[in-house]
């Protein structure tokens, strides 16, 4: 197997406590990995560490063999263009219109793109995620679900090879969720890599090649293949009492 991301003994400390501890993980290129586990277990932190949005306090995260924390400006810019992140709280710019927010990644990564081309690209992506209302408003005018659509659309704008999605179907109605699921499948059909956090067994089964259990800041287990797609192994993993697993360390 070819790893696109390697986490080597990754730890992350916040306010003198270890939020992630000694995580070792290989993310396979072209595959979809799901992080599962209880609230507060460290999934979002591990996802941000994997995406290079947080720098580990110990260990290293390698993208195609290169330590993200040690990348120079150009390497970092290239990594940013190739990867995209949907935040659990959407993280849209509060004081900018949606259009300005969506234009920004295109301006940064495709400086040669004309305003007309940017507009067309944004319209295409908004139609793919199913957002039909005005882009002139600010995020505060939107429901949580609509904010998720914009955040997902922003992530798709630059054609990412590596997509990180945190609780990306929360607060969405079934139609909207199905539309985003179809976009993830499109990424898969293009052999792109997806890493996502979800609590929904149905979505994990439908999309993931591998599920990684994160609880108490540690990686507690991994399911792949038949164990994930059939039988009760996934439900066991999702329902296992995290306190029980704290015995390991
Ligand atoms: N920057 C931070 N400062 C303090 N505590 C944090 C910070 N980031 C995360 N935590 C804590 O680490 C734990 C794991 O958080 P998180 O990764 O968001 O978990 P999950 O996504 O699994 O719900 C939580 O208890 C959270 O409060
Ligand atoms: Mg989270």
């Amino acid at each position: 197997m070819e790893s696109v991301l390697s986490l080597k003994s990754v730890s992350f400390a916040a306010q003198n406590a270890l939020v992630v501890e000694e995580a070792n993980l290989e993310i396979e290129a072209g595959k979809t990995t799901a992080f599962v586990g209880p609230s507060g277990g460290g999934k979002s932190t591990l996802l941000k560490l994997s995406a290079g949005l947080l720098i580990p306090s110990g260990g290293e995260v390698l993208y195609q063999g290169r330590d993200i924390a040690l990348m120079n400006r150009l390497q970092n810019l290239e990594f940013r263009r190739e990867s995209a992140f949907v935040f659990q709280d959407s993280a849209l710019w509060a004081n900018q219109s949606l259009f300005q927010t969506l234009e920004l990644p295109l301006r940064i990564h495709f400086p040669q793109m004309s305003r007309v081309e940017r507009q067309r690209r944004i319209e295409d992506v908004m139609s793919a995620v199913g957002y039909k209302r005005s882009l002139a408003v600010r995020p505060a005018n939107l429901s949580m679900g609509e904010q998720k659509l914009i955040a997902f659309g922003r992530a798709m704008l630059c054609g990412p090879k590596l997509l990180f999605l945190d609780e990306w179907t929360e607060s969405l109605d079934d139609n909207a969720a199905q539309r985003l699921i179809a976009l993830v499948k499109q990424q898969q059909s293009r052999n792109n890599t997806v890493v996502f956090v979800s609590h929904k067994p149905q979505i994990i089964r439908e999309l993931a090649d591998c599920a990684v259990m994160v609880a108490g800041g540690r990686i507690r287990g991994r399911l792949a293949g038949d164990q994930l797609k059939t039988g009760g192994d996934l439900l066991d993993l999702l329902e296992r009492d995290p306190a029980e697993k704290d015995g390991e360390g």
Side-chain angles (χ1 to χ4, degrees):
M1 97 173 202
E2 187 204 344
S3 294
V4 62
L5 283 171
S6 307
L7 280 71
K8 311 255 186 215
S9 293
V10 169
S11 298
F12 185 77
Q15 295 168 355
N16 295 323
L18 279 179
V19 175
V20 167
E21 217 174 331
E22 295 286 326
N24 288 293
L25 184 64
E26 299 294 324
I27 307 264
E28 215 176 324
K31 301 285 186 194
T32 296
T33 303
F35 290 170
V36 306
S39 297
K43 302 180 298 297
S44 292
T45 308
L46 195 64
L47 196 69
K48 288 177 191 164
L49 287 162
S50 307
L53 297 177
L54 290 174
I55 297 302
S57 19
E60 54 195 18
V61 180
L62 309 178
Y63 173 63
Q64 294 172 341
R66 180 176 277 143
D67 188 339
I68 297 175
L70 301 179
M71 284 179 178
N72 66 30
R73 238 184 114 256
L74 263 177
Q75 292 164 339
N76 197 268
L77 194 66
E78 189 184 341
F79 174 58
R80 295 266 155 261
R81 191 180 56 236
E82 290 179 351
S83 60
F85 201 100
V86 175
F87 294 86
Q88 186 168 0
D89 64 355
S90 294
L92 303 175
W93 278 26
N95 62 347
Q96 303 278 306
S97 76
L98 302 176
F99 191 82
Q100 286 171 316
T101 293
L102 292 167
E103 243 191 335
L104 191 66
L106 294 175
R107 278 178 185 275
I108 291 173
H109 294 301
F110 301 99
Q112 75 288 4
M113 200 181 251
S114 71
R115 193 186 151 81
V116 174
E117 284 175 295
R118 284 200 300 268
Q119 178 129 17
R120 189 176 311 133
R121 177 83 192 128
I122 289 170
E123 280 167 8
D124 286 351
V125 166
M126 287 300 105
S127 127
V129 298
Y131 180 82
K132 296 190 181 71
R133 293 177 52 205
S134 167
L135 291 175
V137 299
R138 293 181 182 189
N141 296 94
L142 269 53
S143 71
M144 299 299 271
E146 288 171 317
Q147 291 185 31
K148 274 273 148 79
L149 295 183
I150 302 290
F152 200 100
R154 173 176 60 183
M156 299 308 294
L157 276 172
C158 296
K161 291 186 186 157
L162 184 51
L163 186 60
F164 299 92
L165 309 169
D166 200 351
E167 311 246 351
W168 50 292
T169 59
E170 298 304 308
S171 35
L172 291 180
D173 63 60
D174 285 348
N175 279 339
Q178 284 308 322
R179 209 172 268 123
L180 300 196
I181 288 170
L183 287 171
V184 170
K185 288 186 172 167
Q186 189 184 71
Q187 287 292 109
Q188 294 177 327
S189 71
R190 294 174 179 164
N191 287 323
N192 290 327
T193 308
V194 181
V195 189
F196 73 83
V197 174
S198 176
H199 295 283
K200 302 202 163 110
Q202 219 180 321
I203 290 183
I204 297 165
R205 279 218 173 91
E206 189 172 352
L207 295 176
D209 297 299
C210 149
V212 174
M213 168 59 134
V214 184
R218 283 176 172 268
I219 292 176
R220 305 290 182 173
R222 186 177 182 279
L223 285 183
D226 289 347
Q227 285 181 307
L228 179 61
K229 299 295 177 190
T230 57
D233 294 325
L234 176 63
L235 296 178
D236 285 352
L237 190 74
L238 289 170
E239 282 164 12
R240 224 190 282 166
D241 180 5
E244 178 191 314
K245 284 179 273 36
D246 280 339
E248 288 178 18

